Amino acid sequence: MANKIPIGISDFAEIRERGYVYIDKTEQVYDMANHNYNVLLLRPHGFGKSLLISTLKYYFQGRKELFEGLTIELLEKKWTKRPVIHIDMSDIKCDNVEELKESIVGQLRKYEKLYGLEDFLNRYHSPMHFFIDKIAETTGVEPVVLIDDYDKPALNHAADEEKCHEILKWIEGFCNSIKGSKFHFMLITGTTRFPESPLISGLNLSIATERPKYASICGITEEEILRDLNEEIQSMAAANGWTKEMCIDELKRNYGGYRFSYESPEIFNPVSLLQALENSKLGAYWTANIPSHITELIKKYGITQEDIIDRKTSDGYGFYNNQSLYSLKFIRSFLSLDGYLTIKDSKRNNYSYNEIYTIGIPNDEVREWLRQYENVPPKKVVQWSDNLLHIST
């Protein structure tokens, strides 16, 4: 019997309770939750950041029954229940800081009520620091803070530099107000590392984005496809007159190709992969819902294929850092982090001990989407090395 595919479902409890297939990421979830303090993880939209946040929420709430049969059941022995403060910025629509503040405070009100802290938020100028400490004092347990898509409210105005800066500055201040409070663990997810942002340094965040052991914590690997989605592969192959191997190759060509660290397995885009398996048909699923800020940036700045591919030396993930907002280099890095380019290969620089990456378009779905803006040369990649540029087509 074929699995129920969780199209558009990012709530871990709903997936488990309603019998949808769950790609078991709980070994990495356990490691992240127990060997880190405050973490930043960046991944493209639609790659499962919200599901990761949800999984961590139920784990810290001690919902052991939801994790039966998963790897974490063998690892966790205590199942300590903790208060979880979950702030979801992914769906916030705001035109100014006041609307953003109102939306976030609205989310915090439920925790204020849950822990008997009515009107607490109105009495303090820096609510998060005092709010978290008060919850820890009231419950006797240090809470967990989960912030999903921290950058989305700012990115919604990416084409308006002044408004984007204004909203981003408030978000940074809000997040930095958490510093020094008595929390047990914090995860902030997003898409973009903004240049010159005090968010990372202010909170001393551990950057999980490029760490090899978390490379596949979002997205789906070929090993996971064969383990958990074998029946769907067989069904899609039969529907299209393919062998199982041909089906895997087609899915890889269209939706695979992502790598998020120098030691990363090939990652498949989960949005397109799961919808293709559900429909037994290839299609442009992920690129059918490209965030508006991506197309606005491309159109506003006249981004071309030559612009998208960086032409300067890269020292590891350093090419994402220390750039002026809306410089061409930042926009290239921005598009890379959001899944339009990816790491194709890497090698160690024997002199600097940094990784030198080969960057390219991940797959045919992205390549075809980019064709609407220009004629994208097929499989064009660039390799950066010290002051040299190597291009292959």
Side-chain angles (χ1 to χ4, degrees):
M1 181 178 178
N3 293 301
K4 292 170 65 178
I5 304 294
I7 304 296
I9 302 174
S10 58
D11 183 77
F12 178 74
E14 182 178 358
I15 289 173
R16 298 291 287 166
E17 290 172 344
R18 296 181 62 181
Y20 288 99
V21 64
Y22 171 70
I23 307 299
D24 190 354
K25 305 286 186 179
T26 59
E27 182 175 4
Q28 291 165 296
V29 167
Y30 178 84
D31 184 277
M32 177 176 282
N34 288 278
H35 297 102
N36 297 275
Y37 176 56
N38 49 350
V39 181
L40 175 69
L41 178 72
L42 304 178
R43 286 293 184 269
H45 70 279
F47 268 65
K49 299 188 296 291
S50 295
L51 177 56
L52 172 62
I53 289 276
S54 178
T55 307
L56 283 161
K57 178 180 76 173
Y58 291 112
Y59 166 66
F60 281 115
Q61 288 177 342
R63 296 286 301 276
K64 182 178 179 180
E65 75 281 2
L66 295 175
F67 295 86
E68 291 180 3
L70 300 178
T71 303
I72 201 170
E73 189 179 28
L74 303 174
L75 301 172
E76 182 57 72
K77 306 302 180 185
K78 297 180 180 179
W79 292 98
T80 302
K81 295 183 179 181
R82 296 185 176 278
V84 177
I85 303 168
H86 176 202
I87 301 169
D88 185 1
M89 298 194 186
S90 62
D91 290 326
I92 291 179
K93 302 291 191 297
C94 61
D95 285 324
N96 52 59
V97 165
E98 285 305 311
E99 290 179 5
L100 172 60
K101 181 178 178 180
E102 182 180 348
S103 179
I104 291 177
V105 170
Q107 292 188 44
L108 294 174
R109 292 291 183 199
K110 63 181 177 182
Y111 302 109
E112 189 180 50
K113 183 177 181 179
L114 179 63
Y115 298 110
L117 307 176
E118 276 80 5
D119 203 40
F120 185 89
L121 292 169
N122 293 333
R123 299 199 296 267
Y124 293 93
H125 178 65
S126 300
M128 285 306 291
H129 178 89
F130 296 105
F131 191 55
I132 291 169
D133 285 352
K134 191 64 176 178
I135 291 175
E137 178 187 329
T138 301
T139 63
V141 183
E142 292 181 340
V144 168
V145 180
L146 304 173
I147 301 177
D148 196 10
D149 269 344
Y150 88 94
D151 51 354
K152 188 65 184 299
L155 290 177
N156 287 337
H157 299 284
D160 185 336
E161 185 173 356
E162 183 177 351
K163 185 174 290 188
C164 181
H165 265 298
E166 178 187 8
I167 292 173
L168 178 63
K169 184 178 180 180
W170 189 91
I171 293 172
E172 291 166 347
F174 171 79
C175 291
N176 279 307
S177 73
I178 298 170
K179 185 178 182 180
S181 58
K182 298 174 182 176
F183 62 86
H184 174 76
F185 172 84
M186 177 169 64
L187 172 64
I188 300 176
T189 70
T191 300
T192 307
R193 256 175 94 169
F194 285 91
E196 303 173 358
S197 169
L199 177 67
I200 295 167
S201 58
L203 283 169
N204 296 318
L205 289 170
S206 171
I207 312 302
T209 304
E210 61 265 31
R211 291 167 69 179
K213 66 178 178 178
Y214 302 131
S216 62
I217 198 168
C218 293
I220 303 175
T221 67
E222 182 173 349
E223 179 182 353
E224 291 166 338
I225 293 172
L226 295 173
R227 183 192 69 201
D228 298 329
L229 297 166
N230 186 58
E231 289 188 42
E232 286 70 28
I233 293 293
Q234 301 274 20
S235 178
M236 184 173 181
N240 291 276
W242 299 331
T243 64
K244 178 180 175 180
E245 291 72 23
M246 290 170 63
C247 186
I248 293 289
D249 287 343
E250 286 295 320
L251 292 170
K252 184 180 297 189
R253 181 172 60 82
N254 282 276
Y255 311 128
Y258 291 97
R259 290 178 176 83
F260 298 111
S261 78
Y262 61 89
E263 292 180 2
S264 172
E266 181 174 4
I267 307 296
F268 288 71
N269 184 320
V271 170
S272 291
L273 174 69
L274 293 178
Q275 291 198 52
L277 291 175
E278 175 75 4
N279 299 327
S280 290
K281 182 181 179 181
L282 297 173
Y285 300 108
W286 185 67
T287 54
N289 293 290
I290 296 294
S292 59
H293 61 265
I294 295 290
T295 55
E296 287 173 4
L297 279 175
I298 290 175
K299 292 176 181 177
K300 180 173 181 177
Y301 294 98
I303 303 299
T304 67
Q305 172 67 8
E306 294 300 316
D307 294 330
I308 289 174
I309 297 178
D310 202 328
R311 290 178 172 272
K312 296 183 179 180
T313 298
S314 168
D315 291 326
Y317 262 67
F319 72 92
Y320 294 136
N321 306 328
N322 303 319
Q323 304 147 24
S324 299
L325 187 58
Y326 296 102
S327 69
L328 188 55
K329 187 171 184 179
F330 169 71
I331 294 170
R332 284 191 292 260
S333 302
F334 173 74
L335 293 173
S336 299
L337 282 167
D338 207 17
Y340 304 92
L341 297 175
T342 194
I343 297 171
K344 289 290 188 179
D345 194 12
S346 67
K347 66 178 181 179
R348 181 60 61 92
N349 184 319
N350 294 327
Y351 297 99
S352 67
Y353 300 104
N354 291 317
E355 294 295 321
I356 301 173
Y357 288 105
T358 301
I359 302 296
I361 297 170
N363 53 51
D364 281 358
E365 182 184 20
V366 174
R367 185 173 293 107
E368 288 303 314
W369 179 77
L370 287 168
R371 288 186 192 280
Q372 67 182 296
Y373 297 102
E374 60 179 327
N375 294 320
V376 180
K379 300 182 180 178
K380 183 170 185 177
V381 297
V382 169
Q383 181 173 4
W384 297 309
S385 60
D386 291 342
N387 300 314
L388 297 175
L389 175 68
H390 305 283
I391 303 178
S392 62
T393 57

